[in-house]
Amino acid sequence: MVSVYLSPVYPALGIAALYGAWWAAVAFGATPGGFLSRFGPDAAIIALVRLASTGELWVHLGTSLRRVAIGLAIATVIGIPLGYLTGRFRTFAQASGAPFLLVRMVSPLSWTPLAIVLLGVGDRPVVFLIAIAATWPIVANVAAGVAALDPRWRMVARSLGATPWEVLRTVEWPGIRTHVLTGLRLAVGLAWVVLVPAEMLGVTSGIGYFALNTRDRLAYPELMASILAIGASGVVIDAGARWAFRERRRPRDVDAGTTASVAV
């Protein structure tokens, strides 16, 4: 019971310690009115509140979230089938292992020049970079889940007359669902990390563009405010992904467990 009440305390203490370290670094490391004093936490928080109240911050965040959602949708459509094929068929895994590893080892941002040449400027190269970054966590986790399934489960299902679709729906999907959700949550975090630098090239909106624009305008409090917004948004996105992609027990599973307990 004590841990439940103290659970919000420790994160708050950590944030307070981070704020104190930031304030001390500026207060004791910068001369009053000097260049480094513009990066202080007080000015950044004031700028953050002003940007949020005017709505400018929300416009850029909304644009960034839209790009992330599209990139993740593409990564999911590509990643789940590739992961299933990799985990299900050994020949496919052996044939695709080296090419997949080669592409996966290339930093997503390394594709930026090629993306701009082929897709132009705007949303499309940004979405491409997000998709290519988010695909591999999904592929790896789905493949691991499929490979870990007991083959006797499929054998029993087929012996009972199940069609391939029924085997996939009633045997394989329940067995790999946790792996799929883990891959999606990892993909969400990686997509947000890749998004910000991707938006610094060839676009005129988004939180990454806004951060670059504040630097060009020498608006350093707004620059620090954009960094705070990026970090806070990432925390919210990760928490939302943890909630959305958590493993849920279906009502019939709960009822069955309750019935078994009563029977015992």
Side-chain angles (χ1 to χ4, degrees), residues 108-180:
L109 298 179
S110 300
W111 296 95
T112 301
L114 182 62
I116 293 177
V117 169
L118 297 180
L119 302 175
V121 296
D123 284 0
R124 290 186 295 177
V126 177
V127 170
F128 170 79
L129 294 176
I130 293 171
I132 201 170
T135 296
W136 301 114
I138 299 175
V139 171
N141 279 274
V142 173
V146 174
L149 289 175
D150 191 334
R152 291 174 295 182
W153 294 358
R154 300 188 187 96
M155 186 183 305
V156 171
R158 286 194 295 265
S159 67
L160 295 175
T163 64
W165 167 248
E166 290 173 335
V167 172
L168 176 63
R169 182 175 59 87
T170 61
V171 176
E172 294 178 328
W173 170 248
I176 68 172
R177 182 170 53 194
T178 301
H179 289 81
V180 173

Coordinates of all heavy atoms in Angstrom, one line a residue, residues 108-180:
P108 N 18.7 4.9 -39.8 CA 17.5 5.5 -40.6 C 17.8 6.8 -41.2 O 17.4 7.1 -42.3 CB 16.4 5.6 -39.6 CG 16.8 4.5 -38.6 CD 18.3 4.5 -38.5
L109 N 18.6 7.7 -40.5 CA 18.9 9.0 -41.0 C 19.9 9.0 -42.2 O 20.0 10.0 -43.0 CB 19.4 9.9 -39.9 CG 18.5 10.1 -38.8 CD1 19.1 11.0 -37.7 CD2 17.2 10.8 -39.3
S110 N 20.6 7.8 -42.4 CA 21.4 7.7 -43.5 C 20.7 7.6 -44.9 O 21.2 7.9 -45.9 CB 22.3 6.5 -43.4 OG 23.1 6.5 -42.2
W111 N 19.4 7.3 -44.8 CA 18.6 7.2 -46.0 C 18.0 8.6 -46.4 O 17.4 8.7 -47.4 CB 17.4 6.3 -45.7 CG 17.7 4.9 -45.5 CD1 17.9 4.3 -44.2 CD2 18.0 3.9 -46.4 NE1 18.2 3.0 -44.4 CE2 18.2 2.7 -45.7 CE3 18.0 3.9 -47.8 CZ2 18.5 1.5 -46.4 CZ3 18.2 2.7 -48.5 CH2 18.5 1.5 -47.7
T112 N 18.4 9.7 -45.6 CA 17.8 11.0 -45.9 C 18.1 11.5 -47.3 O 17.2 11.9 -48.0 CB 18.3 12.0 -44.8 OG1 17.9 11.5 -43.5 CG2 17.7 13.4 -45.1
P113 N 19.4 11.5 -47.7 CA 19.6 12.0 -49.1 C 18.8 11.2 -50.2 O 18.3 11.8 -51.1 CB 21.1 11.8 -49.3 CG 21.7 11.8 -47.9 CD 20.6 11.1 -47.1
L114 N 18.8 9.9 -50.1 CA 18.1 9.1 -51.0 C 16.6 9.4 -51.0 O 15.9 9.5 -52.0 CB 18.4 7.6 -50.8 CG 17.7 6.6 -51.8 CD1 18.2 6.9 -53.2 CD2 18.0 5.2 -51.3
A115 N 16.1 9.5 -49.8 CA 14.6 9.8 -49.6 C 14.2 11.2 -50.2 O 13.2 11.3 -50.9 CB 14.2 9.8 -48.1
I116 N 15.1 12.2 -50.1 CA 14.8 13.5 -50.6 C 14.9 13.4 -52.2 O 14.1 14.0 -52.9 CB 15.7 14.5 -50.1 CG1 15.4 14.7 -48.6 CG2 15.6 15.9 -50.8 CD1 16.4 15.7 -47.9
V117 N 15.9 12.7 -52.7 CA 16.1 12.6 -54.2 C 14.9 11.9 -54.8 O 14.3 12.3 -55.8 CB 17.4 11.9 -54.5 CG1 17.4 11.5 -56.0 CG2 18.6 12.7 -54.1
L118 N 14.4 10.8 -54.2 CA 13.4 10.0 -54.8 C 12.0 10.5 -54.4 O 11.0 10.4 -55.3 CB 13.5 8.5 -54.3 CG 14.7 7.8 -54.7 CD1 14.7 6.4 -54.1 CD2 14.9 7.7 -56.2
L119 N 11.8 11.1 -53.2 CA 10.4 11.5 -52.8 C 10.2 13.0 -52.7 O 9.1 13.4 -52.4 CB 10.2 10.9 -51.4 CG 10.3 9.3 -51.3 CD1 10.1 8.9 -49.9 CD2 9.2 8.7 -52.2
G120 N 11.3 13.7 -53.0 CA 11.2 15.2 -52.9 C 11.2 15.7 -51.4 O 11.6 15.0 -50.5
V121 N 10.7 16.9 -51.3 CA 10.6 17.4 -49.9 C 9.2 17.4 -49.4 O 8.2 17.3 -50.2 CB 11.2 18.9 -49.9 CG1 12.6 18.9 -50.2 CG2 10.4 19.8 -50.9
G122 N 9.0 17.6 -48.1 CA 7.6 17.5 -47.6 C 7.5 16.3 -46.7 O 8.4 15.8 -46.1
D123 N 6.2 15.9 -46.6 CA 5.9 14.8 -45.6 C 6.5 13.4 -46.1 O 6.8 12.6 -45.2 CB 4.4 14.7 -45.5 CG 3.8 15.8 -44.6 OD1 4.6 16.6 -44.1 OD2 2.6 15.8 -44.4
R124 N 6.5 13.2 -47.3 CA 6.8 11.8 -47.8 C 8.2 11.3 -47.3 O 8.3 10.2 -46.9 CB 6.7 11.7 -49.3 CG 5.2 11.8 -49.8 CD 5.1 11.6 -51.3 NE 5.8 12.6 -52.0 CZ 5.9 12.6 -53.4 NH1 5.3 11.6 -54.1 NH2 6.5 13.6 -54.0
P125 N 9.3 12.1 -47.5 CA 10.6 11.5 -47.0 C 10.6 11.4 -45.5 O 11.2 10.4 -45.0 CB 11.6 12.6 -47.4 CG 10.8 13.8 -47.7 CD 9.5 13.4 -48.2
V126 N 9.9 12.2 -44.7 CA 9.8 12.1 -43.3 C 9.1 10.8 -42.9 O 9.6 10.0 -42.0 CB 9.2 13.3 -42.6 CG1 9.0 13.1 -41.1 CG2 9.9 14.6 -42.9
V127 N 8.0 10.6 -43.5 CA 7.2 9.3 -43.3 C 8.1 8.1 -43.7 O 8.0 7.1 -42.9 CB 5.9 9.4 -44.0 CG1 5.2 8.0 -44.0 CG2 5.0 10.5 -43.5
F128 N 8.8 8.2 -44.7 CA 9.6 7.1 -45.2 C 10.7 6.8 -44.1 O 10.9 5.6 -43.8 CB 10.3 7.4 -46.5 CG 11.4 6.5 -46.9 CD1 11.1 5.3 -47.5 CD2 12.7 6.8 -46.7 CE1 12.1 4.4 -47.8 CE2 13.7 5.9 -47.1 CZ 13.4 4.7 -47.6
L129 N 11.3 7.8 -43.6 CA 12.4 7.6 -42.6 C 11.8 7.0 -41.3 O 12.4 6.1 -40.7 CB 13.1 8.9 -42.2 CG 13.9 9.5 -43.4 CD1 14.5 10.8 -43.0 CD2 15.0 8.6 -43.8
I130 N 10.6 7.4 -40.9 CA 9.9 6.9 -39.7 C 9.6 5.4 -40.0 O 9.8 4.5 -39.1 CB 8.7 7.7 -39.4 CG1 9.0 9.1 -38.9 CG2 7.8 7.0 -38.3 CD1 7.9 10.0 -38.8
A131 N 9.0 5.1 -41.1 CA 8.6 3.7 -41.4 C 9.8 2.8 -41.5 O 9.7 1.7 -40.9 CB 7.9 3.7 -42.8
I132 N 10.9 3.2 -42.1 CA 12.0 2.3 -42.2 C 12.7 2.1 -40.8 O 13.3 1.0 -40.6 CB 13.1 2.8 -43.2 CG1 14.0 1.7 -43.7 CG2 13.9 3.9 -42.7 CD1 14.8 2.0 -44.9
A133 N 12.6 3.1 -39.9 CA 13.1 2.9 -38.6 C 12.2 2.0 -37.7 O 12.7 1.2 -36.9 CB 13.3 4.3 -37.9
A134 N 10.9 2.2 -37.9 CA 10.0 1.5 -37.0 C 9.7 0.0 -37.5 O 9.1 -0.8 -36.7 CB 8.7 2.2 -36.9
T135 N 10.1 -0.3 -38.7 CA 9.7 -1.6 -39.2 C 10.5 -2.7 -38.5 O 9.9 -3.8 -38.1 CB 10.0 -1.7 -40.7 OG1 9.2 -0.8 -41.4 CG2 9.8 -3.1 -41.2
W136 N 11.8 -2.5 -38.2 CA 12.6 -3.6 -37.7 C 12.3 -4.1 -36.3 O 12.4 -5.3 -36.0 CB 14.1 -3.2 -37.9 CG 14.4 -2.9 -39.3 CD1 14.8 -1.7 -39.8 CD2 14.4 -3.8 -40.4 NE1 14.9 -1.8 -41.2 CE2 14.7 -3.1 -41.6 CE3 14.1 -5.1 -40.5 CZ2 14.7 -3.6 -42.8 CZ3 14.1 -5.7 -41.8 CH2 14.4 -5.0 -42.9
P137 N 11.9 -3.2 -35.3 CA 11.5 -3.8 -34.1 C 10.3 -4.7 -34.2 O 10.2 -5.7 -33.5 CB 11.2 -2.5 -33.2 CG 12.0 -1.4 -33.9 CD 12.0 -1.7 -35.3
I138 N 9.4 -4.3 -35.1 CA 8.2 -5.1 -35.3 C 8.6 -6.5 -35.9 O 8.1 -7.5 -35.4 CB 7.2 -4.4 -36.2 CG1 6.8 -3.1 -35.5 CG2 6.0 -5.3 -36.4 CD1 5.9 -2.2 -36.4
V139 N 9.4 -6.4 -36.9 CA 9.9 -7.7 -37.6 C 10.6 -8.6 -36.6 O 10.3 -9.8 -36.5 CB 10.8 -7.4 -38.8 CG1 11.4 -8.6 -39.3 CG2 10.1 -6.6 -39.9
A140 N 11.5 -8.1 -35.8 CA 12.3 -8.9 -34.9 C 11.4 -9.5 -33.8 O 11.5 -10.7 -33.5 CB 13.4 -8.1 -34.2
N141 N 10.5 -8.8 -33.2 CA 9.6 -9.3 -32.2 C 8.6 -10.3 -32.7 O 8.3 -11.3 -32.0 CB 8.9 -8.1 -31.4 CG 9.8 -7.5 -30.4 OD1 9.9 -7.9 -29.3 ND2 10.5 -6.4 -30.9
V142 N 8.0 -10.0 -33.8 CA 7.0 -11.0 -34.4 C 7.7 -12.3 -34.8 O 7.2 -13.4 -34.5 CB 6.3 -10.3 -35.6 CG1 5.4 -11.4 -36.3 CG2 5.5 -9.2 -35.2
A143 N 8.9 -12.2 -35.4 CA 9.7 -13.4 -35.8 C 10.0 -14.2 -34.5 O 9.9 -15.4 -34.5 CB 10.9 -13.0 -36.5
A144 N 10.4 -13.5 -33.4 CA 10.8 -14.2 -32.2 C 9.5 -14.9 -31.6 O 9.6 -16.1 -31.1 CB 11.4 -13.3 -31.2
G145 N 8.4 -14.3 -31.7 CA 7.2 -14.9 -31.2 C 6.7 -16.1 -32.0 O 6.4 -17.1 -31.4
V146 N 6.8 -16.0 -33.3 CA 6.4 -17.1 -34.1 C 7.3 -18.3 -34.0 O 6.9 -19.4 -33.9 CB 6.3 -16.6 -35.6 CG1 6.0 -17.8 -36.5 CG2 5.2 -15.6 -35.8
A147 N 8.6 -18.0 -33.9 CA 9.6 -19.1 -33.7 C 9.5 -19.8 -32.4 O 9.8 -20.9 -32.3 CB 11.0 -18.5 -33.9
A148 N 9.0 -19.1 -31.4 CA 8.9 -19.7 -30.1 C 7.6 -20.5 -29.9 O 7.5 -21.2 -28.9 CB 8.9 -18.5 -29.0
L149 N 6.7 -20.5 -30.8 CA 5.5 -21.3 -30.7 C 5.8 -22.7 -30.8 O 6.6 -23.2 -31.5 CB 4.5 -20.9 -31.8 CG 3.8 -19.5 -31.8 CD1 3.0 -19.3 -33.0 CD2 2.9 -19.4 -30.5
D150 N 5.1 -23.5 -30.0 CA 5.3 -24.9 -30.0 C 4.6 -25.5 -31.2 O 3.4 -25.3 -31.4 CB 4.6 -25.5 -28.7 CG 4.9 -27.0 -28.5 OD1 5.3 -27.7 -29.5 OD2 4.9 -27.5 -27.4
P151 N 5.3 -26.2 -32.1 CA 4.7 -26.7 -33.3 C 3.6 -27.7 -33.1 O 2.8 -27.9 -34.0 CB 5.9 -27.3 -34.1 CG 7.0 -27.6 -33.0 CD 6.8 -26.5 -32.0
R152 N 3.6 -28.3 -31.9 CA 2.5 -29.3 -31.6 C 1.2 -28.6 -31.6 O 0.2 -29.2 -31.8 CB 2.8 -30.0 -30.3 CG 4.1 -30.9 -30.4 CD 4.4 -31.5 -29.1 NE 4.9 -30.5 -28.2 CZ 5.3 -30.8 -26.9 NH1 5.3 -32.1 -26.5 NH2 5.7 -29.9 -26.1
W153 N 1.2 -27.3 -31.2 CA -0.1 -26.6 -31.2 C -0.7 -26.5 -32.6 O -1.9 -26.8 -32.8 CB 0.1 -25.1 -30.7 CG 0.5 -25.0 -29.3 CD1 0.7 -26.0 -28.4 CD2 0.8 -23.8 -28.6 NE1 1.2 -25.5 -27.2 CE2 1.2 -24.2 -27.3 CE3 0.8 -22.5 -29.0 CZ2 1.6 -23.2 -26.4 CZ3 1.2 -21.5 -28.0 CH2 1.6 -21.9 -26.7
R154 N 0.1 -26.2 -33.6 CA -0.4 -26.2 -35.0 C -0.9 -27.6 -35.4 O -1.9 -27.8 -36.1 CB 0.6 -25.7 -36.0 CG 1.1 -24.3 -35.7 CD 2.0 -23.8 -36.8 NE 2.7 -22.6 -36.5 CZ 3.9 -22.4 -36.0 NH1 4.6 -23.5 -35.7 NH2 4.4 -21.2 -35.8
M155 N -0.1 -28.6 -35.0 CA -0.4 -30.0 -35.4 C -1.7 -30.4 -34.8 O -2.6 -31.1 -35.5 CB 0.7 -30.9 -34.9 CG 0.6 -32.4 -35.3 SD 1.9 -33.4 -34.6 CE 3.4 -32.5 -35.1
V156 N -2.0 -30.1 -33.5 CA -3.3 -30.4 -32.9 C -4.4 -29.7 -33.6 O -5.5 -30.3 -33.9 CB -3.2 -30.1 -31.4 CG1 -4.6 -30.2 -30.8 CG2 -2.3 -31.0 -30.7
A157 N -4.2 -28.4 -33.9 CA -5.3 -27.7 -34.6 C -5.6 -28.3 -36.0 O -6.8 -28.4 -36.3 CB -4.9 -26.2 -34.7
R158 N -4.6 -28.6 -36.7 CA -4.8 -29.2 -38.1 C -5.4 -30.6 -38.0 O -6.3 -30.9 -38.8 CB -3.5 -29.3 -38.8 CG -3.0 -27.9 -39.3 CD -1.9 -28.1 -40.4 NE -0.7 -28.7 -39.8 CZ 0.3 -28.1 -39.3 NH1 0.3 -26.7 -39.4 NH2 1.4 -28.7 -38.8
S159 N -5.1 -31.3 -36.9 CA -5.7 -32.7 -36.8 C -7.2 -32.6 -36.4 O -7.9 -33.5 -36.7 CB -5.0 -33.4 -35.7 OG -5.1 -32.8 -34.4
L160 N -7.6 -31.4 -35.9 CA -9.0 -31.2 -35.6 C -9.7 -30.6 -36.7 O -10.9 -30.2 -36.6 CB -9.1 -30.3 -34.3 CG -8.6 -30.9 -33.0 CD1 -8.7 -29.9 -31.9 CD2 -9.4 -32.2 -32.7
G161 N -9.1 -30.4 -37.9 CA -9.7 -29.9 -39.1 C -9.7 -28.4 -39.2 O -10.4 -27.9 -40.0
A162 N -8.8 -27.7 -38.5 CA -8.7 -26.3 -38.6 C -8.1 -25.9 -39.9 O -7.1 -26.5 -40.4 CB -7.9 -25.7 -37.5
T163 N -8.6 -24.8 -40.6 CA -8.1 -24.3 -41.8 C -6.9 -23.4 -41.4 O -6.6 -23.1 -40.3 CB -9.1 -23.4 -42.5 OG1 -9.4 -22.3 -41.7 CG2 -10.4 -24.2 -42.8
P164 N -6.0 -23.1 -42.4 CA -4.9 -22.3 -42.1 C -5.3 -20.9 -41.5 O -4.5 -20.5 -40.6 CB -4.2 -22.1 -43.5 CG -4.6 -23.3 -44.3 CD -6.0 -23.6 -43.8
W165 N -6.4 -20.3 -41.9 CA -6.8 -19.1 -41.3 C -7.2 -19.3 -39.9 O -6.9 -18.5 -39.0 CB -8.0 -18.5 -42.1 CG -8.7 -17.4 -41.4 CD1 -10.0 -17.4 -40.9 CD2 -8.2 -16.1 -41.1 NE1 -10.3 -16.3 -40.3 CE2 -9.2 -15.4 -40.4 CE3 -7.0 -15.5 -41.3 CZ2 -9.1 -14.1 -39.9 CZ3 -6.8 -14.2 -40.8 CH2 -7.8 -13.5 -40.2
E166 N -7.9 -20.4 -39.6 CA -8.3 -20.7 -38.2 C -7.1 -21.0 -37.3 O -7.0 -20.6 -36.2 CB -9.2 -21.9 -38.2 CG -10.6 -21.6 -38.8 CD -11.5 -22.8 -38.9 OE1 -10.9 -23.9 -39.0 OE2 -12.7 -22.7 -38.9
V167 N -6.0 -21.6 -37.9 CA -4.8 -21.8 -37.1 C -4.2 -20.5 -36.8 O -3.7 -20.3 -35.7 CB -3.8 -22.8 -37.9 CG1 -2.5 -22.8 -37.2 CG2 -4.4 -24.2 -38.1
L168 N -4.1 -19.6 -37.8 CA -3.5 -18.3 -37.5 C -4.3 -17.5 -36.5 O -3.7 -16.9 -35.6 CB -3.5 -17.5 -38.9 CG -3.0 -16.1 -38.8 CD1 -1.5 -16.0 -38.3 CD2 -3.1 -15.4 -40.1
R169 N -5.6 -17.6 -36.6 CA -6.5 -16.8 -35.7 C -6.6 -17.3 -34.3 O -6.6 -16.5 -33.3 CB -7.9 -16.6 -36.3 CG -8.8 -15.8 -35.5 CD -10.1 -15.6 -36.3 NE -10.8 -16.9 -36.5 CZ -11.6 -17.5 -35.7 NH1 -11.9 -16.9 -34.5 NH2 -12.1 -18.7 -36.0
T170 N -6.6 -18.6 -34.1 CA -6.9 -19.2 -32.8 C -5.7 -19.8 -32.1 O -5.7 -20.0 -30.9 CB -8.0 -20.3 -33.0 OG1 -7.4 -21.4 -33.8 CG2 -9.3 -19.8 -33.5
V171 N -4.6 -20.0 -32.9 CA -3.4 -20.6 -32.3 C -2.2 -19.7 -32.3 O -1.6 -19.4 -31.3 CB -3.1 -22.0 -33.0 CG1 -1.8 -22.5 -32.4 CG2 -4.2 -23.0 -32.8
E172 N -1.9 -19.2 -33.5 CA -0.7 -18.4 -33.7 C -0.8 -17.0 -33.2 O 0.0 -16.5 -32.4 CB -0.3 -18.4 -35.2 CG 0.1 -19.8 -35.7 CD 0.5 -19.8 -37.1 OE1 -0.1 -19.0 -37.9 OE2 1.4 -20.6 -37.5
W173 N -1.9 -16.3 -33.5 CA -2.1 -15.0 -33.1 C -2.1 -14.9 -31.5 O -1.4 -14.0 -31.0 CB -3.3 -14.3 -33.7 CG -3.6 -13.0 -33.0 CD1 -4.7 -12.7 -32.2 CD2 -2.9 -11.8 -33.1 NE1 -4.7 -11.4 -31.8 CE2 -3.5 -10.8 -32.3 CE3 -1.7 -11.5 -33.7 CZ2 -3.0 -9.5 -32.2 CZ3 -1.2 -10.2 -33.6 CH2 -1.8 -9.2 -32.8
P174 N -2.9 -15.7 -30.8 CA -2.8 -15.6 -29.3 C -1.4 -15.8 -28.8 O -1.0 -15.3 -27.8 CB -3.8 -16.6 -28.9 CG -4.8 -16.8 -30.0 CD -3.9 -16.6 -31.2
G175 N -0.7 -16.7 -29.5 CA 0.7 -17.0 -29.0 C 1.7 -16.0 -29.2 O 2.7 -15.9 -28.5
I176 N 1.5 -15.1 -30.3 CA 2.5 -14.1 -30.6 C 2.0 -12.7 -30.2 O 2.7 -11.7 -30.4 CB 2.9 -14.1 -32.1 CG1 1.7 -13.7 -32.9 CG2 3.4 -15.5 -32.5 CD1 2.0 -13.5 -34.4
R177 N 0.8 -12.6 -29.7 CA 0.2 -11.2 -29.4 C 1.1 -10.4 -28.5 O 1.4 -9.2 -28.8 CB -1.1 -11.4 -28.8 CG -1.9 -10.1 -28.5 CD -3.3 -10.4 -28.1 NE -3.4 -11.3 -27.0 CZ -4.5 -12.0 -26.7 NH1 -5.6 -11.8 -27.3 NH2 -4.5 -12.8 -25.7
T178 N 1.7 -11.0 -27.5 CA 2.5 -10.2 -26.6 C 3.8 -9.7 -27.3 O 4.2 -8.6 -27.1 CB 3.0 -11.1 -25.4 OG1 1.8 -11.5 -24.7 CG2 3.9 -10.3 -24.4
H179 N 4.4 -10.5 -28.2 CA 5.5 -10.1 -28.9 C 5.2 -9.0 -29.9 O 6.0 -8.1 -30.1 CB 6.1 -11.3 -29.7 CG 6.8 -12.3 -28.8 ND1 6.1 -13.3 -28.2 CD2 8.1 -12.5 -28.5 CE1 6.9 -14.1 -27.5 NE2 8.1 -13.6 -27.7
V180 N 4.0 -9.1 -30.5 CA 3.6 -8.0 -31.5 C 3.4 -6.7 -30.7 O 3.9 -5.7 -31.2 CB 2.3 -8.4 -32.2 CG1 1.7 -7.3 -33.0 CG2 2.5 -9.7 -33.0

